Amino acid sequence: MSLGKRLKHWERNWRHSFNVDPRIAGNERRAQIYNDWFDHAILRRVWTNFFQIAPGVYRSNQPTHRRFEKIKSMGITHVLNLRGQGTGAAHLTEKKSCQDLGLTLINCQLSARQAAPAENILQVIETFKTIPHPFVMHCKSGADRAGFASAIYLITMQGQSVQQARKMLAVKYAHLRFTKTGVLDYILRSYDASNSQQEISFEDWIRTAYDPQKLQTDFNNRVPILS
């Protein structure tokens, strides 16, 4: 093994040694180091990316415990985590915060740089139908997955146009359409093009016409969307 590979392997194992369960005695400090420096929570202590998108519906980046306390003080009772249910420090810290504060945590999984599987998007839509208000949805930075989910909420729950809903994916929220995360805009624009040819709800389009692999390939190849 080359020196470069050995160093990379050592760095990965060293970083992983901090990705521990904070609920276990003696792990709290290591988990906090992981969250602050490897999951970038140190930035999110001052940068919240927190916005209201509809009555009783908010979007955010990954909250810290102190921010969860503030969220609770606002009357928010439910938290929709769009990062998926994990076994690492970030998710388990959030789970502990919600349990300690009496907040209900719901886990769904979207992708920031890839077209998510249809079942994952449909799970988010089903969650929107049943989750009590007020609630906050979040990903890591609050820029991409939270923006995509916010757009889906406005389309499916509020009846807004794709053009209006796509404003949830904007530089204002630190979303950059020219990067790999632009695939999220591409999904919405692809639906809009299909809907303009034959009216179909976003949910039905995801169920019957959405092909994440083809859509991802078309996006990577910058295939124009024809309406």
Side-chain angles (χ1 to χ4, degrees):
M1 183 183 296
S2 68
L3 177 60
K5 288 184 177 179
R6 287 201 300 271
L7 288 173
K8 187 175 182 180
H9 180 71
W10 175 86
E11 188 275 335
R12 183 170 59 249
N13 288 340
W14 175 75
R15 177 168 17 99
H16 183 71
S17 71
F18 292 93
N19 194 14
V20 294
D21 188 343
R23 301 168 300 179
I24 298 175
N27 280 353
E28 297 92 338
R29 179 59 179 163
R30 298 181 73 81
Q32 188 62 56
I33 291 173
Y34 182 89
N35 289 336
D36 281 347
W37 298 106
F38 299 114
D39 201 57
H40 310 135
I42 195 75
L43 300 176
R44 300 193 296 270
R45 290 183 183 183
V46 293
W47 175 58
T48 66
N49 220 359
F50 186 89
F51 295 92
Q52 183 172 7
I53 69 161
V57 183
Y58 302 84
R59 59 178 289 179
S60 173
N61 58 22
Q62 175 85 49
T64 61
H65 182 79
R66 186 167 295 180
R67 285 182 49 214
F68 273 126
E69 290 177 332
K70 184 175 182 179
I71 283 168
K72 181 179 180 179
S73 73
M74 295 173 60
I76 294 173
T77 58
H78 285 66
V79 178
L80 174 55
N81 163 39
L82 300 167
R83 302 180 69 180
Q85 183 170 341
T87 58
H91 176 70
L92 295 177
T93 298
E94 173 176 22
K95 186 175 181 179
K96 183 177 185 302
S97 290
C98 288
Q99 288 176 338
D100 290 348
L101 296 170
L103 299 170
T104 300
L105 178 62
I106 300 171
N107 301 298
C108 292
Q109 186 164 6
L110 291 177
S111 302
R113 296 174 178 83
Q114 291 185 330
E119 56 267 27
N120 291 18
I121 297 176
L122 291 172
Q123 182 186 17
V124 171
I125 296 173
E126 287 303 313
T127 300
F128 285 154
K129 294 177 182 178
T130 58
I131 188 170
H133 293 52
F135 74 91
V136 60
M137 67 183 92
H138 77 82
C139 54
K140 181 179 178 179
S141 68
D144 307 309
R145 288 168 287 187
F148 183 55
S150 295
I152 292 173
Y153 183 89
L154 294 179
I155 293 168
T156 59
M157 301 292 112
Q158 298 283 303
Q160 290 193 15
S161 67
V162 172
Q163 182 179 6
Q164 185 69 21
R166 281 182 63 217
K167 293 179 181 179
M168 293 292 102
L169 291 165
V171 174
K172 171 182 177 180
Y173 308 106
H175 173 74
L176 303 176
R177 293 176 178 173
F178 58 84
T179 67
K180 291 181 179 179
T181 62
V183 69
L184 304 176
D185 305 83
Y186 199 82
I187 293 171
L188 297 178
R189 290 169 52 217
S190 296
Y191 161 66
D192 199 31
S194 295
N195 189 47
S196 67
Q197 295 176 1
Q198 183 173 355
E199 188 171 347
I200 184 172
S201 72
F202 181 79
E203 182 176 359
D204 286 343
W205 181 76
I206 293 293
R207 290 186 186 279
T208 63
Y210 173 69
D211 184 341
Q213 291 184 339
K214 181 180 185 305
L215 192 147
Q216 184 69 54
T217 299
D218 288 348
F219 171 75
N220 292 343
N221 295 328
R222 298 301 188 266
V223 175
I225 296 174
L226 303 177
S227 58

